[in-house]
Amino acid sequence: MKKLSFSLSCLLAIISFSLYAQSSCYWQQHVDYTMEIKMDVENYQYKGEQTLVYSNNSPDALDKVFYHLYFNAFQPGSEMDIRLQNIADPDSRMVNNLGTKDNPIYESRISKLTPEEIGYIKIKSLKQDGTNVTYKVTGTILEVTLAEPILPGAKATFKMKFDGQVPVQIRRSGRNNADGVALSMTQWYPKMAEYDFEGWHADPYIAREFHGVWGNFDVKITIDKDYILGGTGNLQNGDKIGYGYETPGTKVKRRGKTNTWHFVANQVHDFTWAADPEYIHNSLKTKNGITMHFLFKDDKKVKAAWTQIQPKAAELMEYYSTHIGPYPWDQYSIIQGGDGGMEYAQCTLITGGEDYNDLFGTTAHEMAHTWFQHILATNESEHPWMDEGFTSFISALASAYVKGNKNAKPFGSYRSYYYLVNSGKAQTAATHGDRYEYNFAYSINAYVKGKIFLSQLEYVIGEEKLMETLKKYYDDFKFKHPTPNDFIRTAEKVSGAQLHWYLTDWIETNNTIDYGIKEVKASEDTTSTVVTLERIGLMPMPIDVVVEYTDGTSEYFYIPLRMMRAGKANPYDFKKTELADWPWAFPTYDVTINKPMAEIKTITIDPSGLMADIKLANNKYPAQ
């Protein structure tokens, strides 16, 4: 009967979600965590008890489950350590350079950790519904053979005891970071791996990013009473804890040597916290009622910037909620910690603050991740360009807006992408985040090529349709782990265009765009001008051509791409002439301008600069 019941729910899911979801029967696993943690701030070790209720909403009976044990990566001989020792351009934060800048000799910092400095999570006991289970740990993955399969539509309760040690700060997590923050507690607990229509995502941790199961967290952290905490979730006992979390006017009396901080967070796929005895805690409420917390060191070098950023962060929150979709929780925390900037559920950890502009830029970027990584939550291991690229796109717009440049288009520089193309070391943006030969190629694909995916899509379908697409994407796929195809189908529905070619060429291949003006000549009767365009690169595009005349007027010639089956609105404030479509297989295309050559001042392919044409020198007449 359980199987039959699930089939009916699956049928209802097909009716509800078939237009939107990654598979014909949409489903989403769910987890509920209850955790109690006791932290020893002297030796950076902690003991934990975890109760996890796992809901199997899939059509499959599960005989195994997998957990991530991320802290195990920070041990000599781990996969993360060995990767650092073998990649040509390791992350500079994670290595020591024993050579020179020109002739570096890299030493993995992980390889030098002592037993007192490493990170670990050690499982002491694990039961499923009261029965002991068999499990094994391989690196950062805990593989559990279940006592009984979890049937479709059923739940299982796992009770676990574990010990942990916080590693020396090397990457994201750790103790005593460069800013002197005591504890940056990210990816610190046994975390259930995601199971979806592609199967289990039990990837080893090799310093890239994450994928998780949405659920509810109820977490109690017992720690030295002088430590101030911030992170995911709402503090339930602020009137007992104090430190700025109490109700105004409440007198807080702390007794004993420790405090137990009680946080609750719903519908998130991660839980993060940071702690330090020297934190200053400020808070404000945004126009739409969200409480924003700011925790930063009581250090004169950073206090000014961390104070100045607070009202600007509220403006950024409002921008993202307006231009993507509403922020769905009632709190967000911006915390000094970590090793740069990294997004987490309902919070971000950011280092530094001596330079306000750096702090503002990082804050804008990390906050934007909330929408793409913690509300939409694509699998950023498989599709890092969707998370980093989309975040880079919207944060560039938001930053310009908040700084007062409300009509800015901050996408004109594609130099990093061109550098990658010319390096000969490019891999497709569809490459798994762990499988890049070079870190710089990963970074450019994820951040730059992913950002260009959207800015160039504006060139393809127009600004209004692009921004409408982002909103519909949010509405249709929030809390659903969308895939690249989900996004491009949304763009197709909004624009009316066929766009799978765009996703295929830009993301799944290394094909490049190169169009040029091959020839400009007078017609036989000299009353008009014939412009011959050529497609040199393999990637197809619709083509914008703008002609400036000697009388000061301009004309926009739009050449649709046949396989796109649609056009776009005029992006210019002068006359548009739409021409016949250009089939991709044809290498050349003639444009007839009904004016003699003497009256033509310039001809330009894509004056907006949004199309990532790899050879701009042939895009203008007269040649420049």
Side-chain angles (χ1 to χ4, degrees):
M1 289 301 293
K2 287 183 178 179
K3 189 72 175 181
L4 180 61
S5 174
F6 179 82
S7 297
L8 178 59
S9 66
C10 183
L11 176 60
L12 293 174
I14 292 173
I15 296 171
S16 300
F17 296 111
S18 62
L19 290 177
Y20 310 121
Q22 315 99 319
S23 56
S24 60
C25 181
Y26 177 83
W27 47 268
Q28 190 79 54
Q29 305 292 68
H30 182 85
V31 288
D32 288 309
Y33 290 90
T34 302
M35 291 189 282
E36 294 189 9
I37 309 300
K38 293 183 178 180
M39 171 62 72
D40 187 330
V41 298
E42 299 299 323
N43 61 15
Y44 303 102
Q45 294 178 355
Y46 56 100
K47 293 185 177 296
E49 295 187 9
Q50 180 189 92
T51 299
L52 190 159
V53 180
Y54 186 82
S55 299
N56 180 17
N57 298 322
S58 82
D60 307 316
L62 304 178
D63 56 7
K64 287 186 177 182
V65 297
F66 297 84
Y67 290 76
H68 296 281
L69 308 176
Y70 291 104
F71 270 8
N72 290 356
F74 300 100
Q75 300 174 10
S78 70
E79 287 192 65
M80 188 185 289
D81 177 33
I82 300 305
R83 179 66 168 154
L84 284 171
Q85 296 180 43
N86 287 278
I87 194 167
D89 58 341
D91 188 323
S92 62
R93 293 166 292 193
M94 302 176 70
V95 295
N96 301 312
N97 184 1
L98 306 180
T100 64
K101 181 178 179 180
D102 295 330
N103 295 291
I105 301 172
Y106 295 118
E107 174 187 74
S108 164
R109 289 178 59 204
I110 296 176
S111 72
K112 310 305 290 185
L113 293 177
T114 67
E116 294 74 29
E117 296 172 328
I118 65 171
Y120 62 68
I121 297 176
K122 296 179 179 179
I123 310 304
K124 311 305 290 185
S125 66
L126 179 58
K127 294 183 178 181
Q128 174 196 355
D129 296 324
T131 302
N132 289 323
V133 293
T134 303
Y135 58 85
K136 65 178 180 179
V137 174
T138 52
T140 61
I141 299 298
L142 169 68
E143 180 180 341
V144 182
T145 301
L146 299 180
E148 293 289 339
I150 310 174
L151 298 178
K155 296 182 179 182
T157 299
F158 297 94
K159 288 187 178 291
M160 177 191 294
K161 293 184 179 181
F162 63 96
D163 293 342
Q165 179 168 287
V166 186
V168 168
Q169 178 76 41
I170 291 177
R171 188 71 178 103
R172 297 193 176 106
S173 302
R175 65 202 203 214
N176 303 319
N177 79 341
D179 290 0
V181 174
L183 292 167
S184 298
M185 299 296 288
T186 68
Q187 310 299 332
W188 55 273
Y189 59 94
K191 179 179 178 180
M192 183 67 73
E194 177 66 286
Y195 181 79
D196 62 19
F197 72 103
E198 293 180 319
W200 284 103
H201 295 273
D203 294 325
Y205 185 36
I206 314 179
R208 291 295 184 221
E209 304 198 10
F210 311 103
H211 191 42
V213 191
W214 272 295
N216 303 321
F217 287 76
D218 188 313
V219 181
K220 293 179 180 177
I221 302 163
T222 300
I223 193 169
D224 184 285
K225 69 177 181 179
D226 293 329
Y227 278 65
I228 304 167
L229 274 63
T232 304
N234 294 320
L235 185 63
Q236 303 297 294
N237 56 342
D239 287 348
K240 292 183 179 180
I241 295 293
Y243 293 123
Y245 287 100
E246 71 273 19
T247 305
T250 301
K251 291 184 179 181
V252 179
K253 295 181 180 180
R254 302 187 191 93
R255 295 182 175 87
K257 296 182 179 179
T258 63
N259 280 331
T260 296
W261 298 65
H262 183 194
F263 292 95
V264 170
N266 293 324
Q267 193 68 347
V268 295
H269 61 75
D270 196 11
F271 188 96
T272 290
W273 56 283
D276 193 272
E278 297 178 356
Y279 269 153
I280 295 172
H281 172 218
N282 296 153
S283 63
L284 61 79
K285 188 156 283 193
T286 67
K287 292 179 181 178
N288 49 356
I290 298 161
T291 300
M292 298 192 72
H293 299 281
F294 303 85
L295 294 100
F296 51 96
K297 294 280 285 188
D298 187 2
D299 181 347
K300 64 181 181 180
K301 292 186 296 185
V302 304
K303 285 169 70 174
W306 276 89
T307 302
Q308 186 181 355
I309 197 68
Q310 294 175 27
K312 297 300 181 182
E315 291 182 49
L316 289 166
M317 175 70 73
E318 184 178 354
Y319 184 94
Y320 297 136
S321 291
T322 300
H323 290 84
I324 310 173
Y327 182 79
W329 301 287
D330 58 10
Q331 85 87 25
Y332 185 81
S333 298
I334 300 175
I335 307 167
Q336 188 178 11
D339 66 344
M342 182 63 191
E343 73 281 359
Y344 300 101
Q346 300 181 14
C347 67
T348 180
L349 269 58
I350 300 173
T351 48
E354 293 185 41
D355 184 289
Y356 169 75
N357 289 324
D358 284 349
L359 180 61
F360 176 85
T362 305
T363 300
H365 182 86
E366 301 308 332
M367 282 184 66
H369 271 297
T370 293
W371 280 260
F372 294 115
Q373 180 46 27
H374 287 282
I375 300 175
L376 288 155
T378 54
N379 182 341
E380 58 185 336
S381 294
E382 291 187 357
H383 315 296
W385 62 274
M386 292 186 76
D387 176 45
E388 295 294 355
F390 288 20
T391 292
S392 297
F393 173 87
I394 201 68
S395 62
L397 285 176
S399 297
Y401 184 88
V402 170
K403 288 180 177 180
N405 302 320
K406 292 182 168 47
N407 297 314
K409 288 289 185 66
F411 310 128
S413 176
Y414 291 14
R415 285 176 294 178
S416 295
Y417 166 66
Y418 296 144
Y419 172 77
L420 178 61
V421 169
N422 293 323
S423 72
K425 297 172 181 174
Q427 293 173 250
T428 74
T431 302
H432 189 286
D434 289 333
R435 312 288 195 272
Y436 278 86
E437 186 176 0
Y438 295 91
N439 271 323
F440 87 89
Y442 163 84
S443 296
I444 294 173
N445 265 356
Y447 290 82
V448 179
K449 198 170 183 183
K451 178 181 177 181
I452 295 172
F453 178 87
L454 288 185
S455 60
Q456 189 169 247
L457 187 58
E458 177 181 325
Y459 169 82
V460 174
I461 65 175
E463 179 182 10
E464 182 180 343
K465 294 300 183 185
L466 172 64
M467 301 311 291
E468 187 181 338
T469 294
L470 286 176
K471 286 186 175 183
K472 183 169 176 55
Y473 177 53
Y474 172 92
D475 288 340
D476 289 350
F477 291 105
K478 56 183 179 289
F479 302 111
K480 291 182 182 176
H481 292 312
T483 67
N485 192 62
D486 292 323
F487 178 82
I488 210 67
R489 291 290 292 125
T490 299
E492 288 183 333
K493 291 165 189 171
V494 169
S495 67
Q498 299 296 307
L499 295 169
H500 201 270
W501 59 271
Y502 181 67
L503 174 66
T504 298
D505 277 69
W506 188 249
I507 298 301
E508 298 173 8
T509 77
N510 282 330
N511 291 346
T512 56
I513 301 164
D514 185 8
Y515 284 84
I517 299 172
K518 184 176 184 179
E519 184 181 37
V520 178
K521 65 180 181 180
S523 62
E524 290 185 4
D525 61 6
T526 70
T527 61
S528 59
T529 304
V530 179
V531 181
T532 300
L533 307 177
E534 61 179 337
R535 178 189 55 75
I536 303 163
L538 284 175
M539 181 166 173
M541 290 292 281
I543 298 299
D544 290 358
V545 177
V546 171
V547 180
E548 183 184 8
Y549 300 115
T550 55
D551 63 4
T553 62
S554 296
E555 186 173 1
Y556 164 43
F557 292 88
Y558 176 66
I559 308 171
L561 177 67
R562 178 173 291 180
M563 68 177 72
M564 187 171 149
R565 311 291 178 191
K568 67 175 178 180
N570 186 353
Y572 302 103
D573 58 2
F574 43 81
K575 178 185 176 183
K576 174 185 178 182
T577 299
E578 184 163 331
L579 305 176
D581 56 27
W582 185 345
W584 171 83
F586 287 59
T588 61
Y589 184 99
D590 286 345
V591 177
T592 299
I593 302 170
N594 293 320
K595 286 183 181 287
M597 283 186 64
E599 295 182 22
I600 294 175
K601 184 177 179 181
T602 62
I603 304 171
T604 307
I605 296 175
D606 179 31
S608 74
L610 293 176
M611 184 171 71
D613 191 306
I614 63 168
K615 187 179 178 183
L616 297 175
N618 60 1
N619 283 24
K620 194 151 187 171
Y621 167 87
Q624 295 183 353

